[in-house]
Amino acid sequence: MGSTRAQGRHAGLTRQQVLHAAVQMVDREGAAALSMRKLARELDVEAMTLYHHVKNKQGLEDAIVQYVMDEALTGAETDAPWRTVLEGYGRAFHRGLLAHPGAVPFFASRPAVTPGNAVHLEKMLEVLRDAGFTPQDALLVIQTLAAIVLGQHSAPPANDGDPGIDTEALAEFPLFAEAIGSGVPSVESRVEFALQAFIAGLEEPSSAAGE
């Protein structure tokens, strides 16, 4: 008889191990490759074992989003001026997406606010509330900032640094040729520019909250 795959909680498998393997799979093979059966084979367990840790595939995708957010934002600075905190949040989110590109489609298809990411949102909301933003405006700021970062990662690849175009063929478009002469802007530079522009454009709250 062949070896029998482990079943249930007694397999000793933890939720964190399941999520770690799932994130590795989507980073390696892409989000479309994820399935409960394939992940079970990866972990050498029966597929039913995974349902002790996640409700279904959608629950697994939600948990992957939470895993990436926790990894990226745990320990993020909140004891600083609000603009500095926002910049740190945006850069940390960017680094998380860079580290786990396979998870990007899940961020694009999940709700912006979930019980899982409420922990991180609450800390950011407190910073902005203390700076004078209403909770509603603070949430708008945070969600817009996250969307700006996610949008750069969701865009089609731009061959960072390599224009992929023969600039000699752009003789009729000298400004465009000059602009891409040293390469197209990288994701890193686009994210940084977008963060700086967005945050600089935010007005200081007119008064402290509660006044």
Side-chain angles (χ1 to χ4, degrees), residues 178-190:
E178 181 179 350
I180 66 171
S182 57
V184 297
S186 66
V187 171
E188 187 74 32
S189 63
R190 295 199 308 269

Side-chain angles (χ1 to χ4, degrees), residues 4 23 28 48 67 87 92 106 113 125 138 140 167-168 179 184 197:
T4 301
V23 170
R28 185 177 64 246
M48 288 302 298
Y67 181 99
E87 288 178 12
F106 300 144
V113 180
L125 290 170
L140 177 61
T167 54
E168 293 183 3
V184 297

Side-chain angles (χ1 to χ4, degrees), residues 107-133:
F107 279 89
S109 61
R110 304 262 80 74
V113 180
T114 67
N117 66 26
V119 173
H120 302 295
L121 277 173
E122 186 72 9
K123 292 179 181 178
M124 294 295 298
L125 290 170
E126 287 177 359
V127 170
L128 295 179
R129 185 276 313 277
D130 292 346
F133 289 88

Side-chain angles (χ1 to χ4, degrees), residues 117-171:
N117 66 26
V119 173
H120 302 295
L121 277 173
E122 186 72 9
K123 292 179 181 178
M124 294 295 298
L125 290 170
E126 287 177 359
V127 170
L128 295 179
R129 185 276 313 277
D130 292 346
F133 289 88
T134 66
Q136 293 80 5
D137 286 345
L139 183 59
L140 177 61
V141 167
I142 295 167
Q143 290 185 340
T144 302
L145 183 71
I148 287 170
V149 175
L150 180 60
Q152 298 303 323
H153 287 267
S154 300
N159 298 324
D160 286 4
D162 178 10
I165 301 174
D166 180 2
T167 54
E168 293 183 3
L170 298 176

Side-chain angles (χ1 to χ4, degrees), residues 78-101:
T78 55
D79 187 17
W82 65 270
R83 292 182 190 274
T84 301
V85 172
L86 279 179
E87 288 178 12
Y89 176 87
R91 291 187 184 119
F93 184 35
H94 167 55
R95 289 193 297 270
L97 297 179
L98 278 181
H100 301 295

Side-chain angles (χ1 to χ4, degrees), residues 15 20 39 50 55 102 129 144 194:
R15 177 180 169 86
H20 180 72
L39 180 59
L50 301 182
K55 184 177 180 180
R129 185 276 313 277
T144 302

